Amino acid sequence: MSAIFKLSRQVEFNHCDAAGIVFYPRYFEMIAAVQERFFADALGASWAEMTPAGLGTPMGEITVRFSNPSRLGDMLDFALVVPRIGTASAGLDITCHSGGELRFSCNATVVYAAFDTGRSLPWPADLRTKLTEFLPEDRKKTA
């Protein structure tokens, strides 16, 4: 069975506009937070360790489909899976639900890169192996 990374957080006042609804740019901050926690908690590759080494996983592409508004106090449940792993990039599919209702879905591509050159690097073998745990079962054989 494929692993799914899960994270929950409550909508805070600082996430909301004057109407008490999450202001959409705050969702992008939440997506970055989910990505950061995924790398640290699920993969054992925290940004706090990668950054001083001159490495990171910048966003190469992102598409978000907003489905329903979230309001102050809502509990948001995020789920992340890895639909694909390339030589130096990986797809991240992140969904956000609250009370069983879809709030948004996100398809993103992150790139393993060196800060000094701005160039992509192949995933280290240990990190690639851990990413593979989050692939759909039918894609694990080809990763």
Side-chain angles (χ1 to χ4, degrees), residues 36-58:
E36 183 173 357
R37 295 289 11 119
F38 172 66
F39 272 85
D41 301 341
L43 305 181
S46 75
W47 290 355
E49 295 168 353
M50 281 195 276
T51 301
L55 301 169
T57 56

Side-chain angles (χ1 to χ4, degrees), residues 3 7 13 56 70 79 87 112:
L7 183 72
F13 181 77
S70 297
T87 302
Y112 188 69

Side-chain angles (χ1 to χ4, degrees), residues 44-122:
S46 75
W47 290 355
E49 295 168 353
M50 281 195 276
T51 301
L55 301 169
T57 56
M59 192 68 63
E61 182 177 2
I62 188 167
T63 303
V64 179
R65 171 79 177 156
F66 301 104
S67 301
N68 292 290
S70 297
R71 292 177 169 75
L72 181 63
D74 285 353
M75 185 57 69
L76 302 180
D77 299 310
F78 299 91
L80 182 153
V81 295
V82 177
R84 66 192 177 289
I85 304 169
T87 302
S89 66
L92 304 179
D93 285 352
I94 301 169
T95 56
C96 175
H97 289 81
S98 183
E101 179 181 67
L102 180 66
R103 300 304 171 90
F104 72 80
S105 57
C106 168
N107 307 105
T109 300
V110 296
V111 180
Y112 188 69
F115 291 150
D116 62 344
T117 64
R119 301 239 182 238
S120 63
L121 299 169

